[in-house]
Amino acid sequence: MALRLVQVNFKARDDSALGRFWAEALGWGVSSEGPGVTNVEPVGFVGPDPAAVCVDVVTVPDPETVRYRAHLDLGTTSAAHQAELVARLLKLGATPADIGQGDVPWTVLADPEGNLFCVLEPRPIYRDTGPIAAVVVNCADPRAMARFWSGAMDWTLHEVTDDFARLRSAKGVGPYLEFVRTPAANAVSGRVHLDLRPYRGDDQAAEVARLRTLGATDADVGQGDVPWVCLADTEGNEFCVLTPG
């Protein structure tokens, strides 16, 4: 039994508009599984496939406006590419964001609904990840997060210290999942969460039970009667276990 990170879920006021922004930002396409949901994924993508972690944008009545725990880091291949991407994102509706980062080589932006993300300077480790270099989660204890998430998923733990942990698909493709030690990381939940999917033929209920043994707890985000299960990890980060596929 195992789980895979298949998408990052954004709560939005307008899923269509925000989905179009992220499609343009990533160079991907959009589709929809129903009203209020915009799926952003590579053109021609057939998933699940660890080569890409997709973006799911869902309209909710009143999305929280908070400095949330999870964000995307976008990769670049050169200084010129970084500058071009930042300029293009600003034209698409992104805005510069100051979170106290100071003089750093990456650029912090907010999407049109205020979701923070970073455009990284070129880094060799991200040269083959695709447009999303990493999904980053702020946390209080990266070592504890590494224990939970490496147990939860079949991804490989590449690095762990007191301040940082990094995982990636065991196939060595796609973006990284990173946990960064951050002051007051437990202050809020937020608008962005991770969606995990069991493999075809595995049992969703058994996977959820296994996650509870690792320390996950049930989460009520107003989901009602839905086919997925909402949980929270050991630091309270909400995530969903989808149906197998």
Side-chain angles (χ1 to χ4, degrees):
M1 295 195 301
L3 294 166
R4 300 153 290 167
L5 174 59
V6 293
Q7 61 194 26
V8 179
N9 186 293
F10 283 72
K11 298 176 184 176
R13 299 179 193 87
D14 183 340
D15 65 280
S16 180
L18 190 60
R20 286 195 302 272
F21 169 85
W22 280 105
E24 292 285 345
L26 301 171
W28 290 357
V30 295
S31 61
S32 180
E33 62 196 61
V37 180
T38 298
N39 311 111
V40 182
E41 57 190 29
V43 176
F45 181 76
V46 179
D49 185 330
V53 171
C54 299
V55 174
D56 214 32
V57 185
V58 180
T59 292
V60 297
D62 186 22
E64 305 93 331
T65 302
V66 295
R67 184 176 294 178
Y68 49 81
R69 299 172 184 171
H71 71 267
L72 300 182
D73 279 354
L74 306 189
T76 61
T77 57
S78 66
H81 181 207
Q82 183 186 19
E84 180 276 330
L85 180 56
V86 169
R88 185 164 61 85
L89 291 166
L90 292 173
K91 287 184 180 179
L92 289 172
T95 54
D98 185 351
I99 56 172
Q101 67 268 26
D103 184 17
V104 293
W106 58 89
T107 302
V108 183
L109 299 174
D111 73 15
E113 290 207 10
N115 300 299
L116 300 174
F117 65 99
C118 298
V119 180
L120 303 180
E121 76 284 3
R123 301 183 191 181
I125 193 171
Y126 301 131
R127 66 183 180 276
D128 63 350
T129 61
I132 299 177
V135 180
V136 183
V137 181
N138 297 340
C139 68
D141 187 344
R143 291 188 183 277
M145 288 291 92
R147 285 193 298 272
F148 175 86
W149 285 95
S150 61
M153 303 195 302
D154 64 352
W155 283 27
T156 300
L157 180 62
H158 283 254
E159 180 183 353
V160 60
T161 69
D162 289 343
D163 295 315
F164 182 81
R166 173 184 285 134
L167 299 89
R168 196 184 193 191
S169 164
K171 294 185 177 181
V173 296
Y176 290 84
L177 175 61
E178 299 177 350
F179 296 92
V180 179
R181 187 180 186 93
T182 308
N186 286 324
V188 292
S189 292
R191 298 172 57 175
V192 180
H193 71 260
L194 309 182
D195 284 346
L196 311 183
R197 189 180 295 279
Y199 284 90
R200 190 178 304 277
D202 283 352
D203 184 89
Q204 181 191 36
E207 286 293 335
V208 169
R210 185 177 64 83
L211 291 167
R212 291 190 182 111
T213 68
L214 294 173
T217 53
D218 295 319
D220 185 352
V221 295
Q223 65 269 24
D225 183 16
V226 292
W228 57 87
V229 179
C230 297
L231 299 172
D233 69 15
T234 51
E235 286 200 10
N237 300 299
E238 294 156 356
F239 65 97
C240 294
V241 180
L242 308 179
T243 54

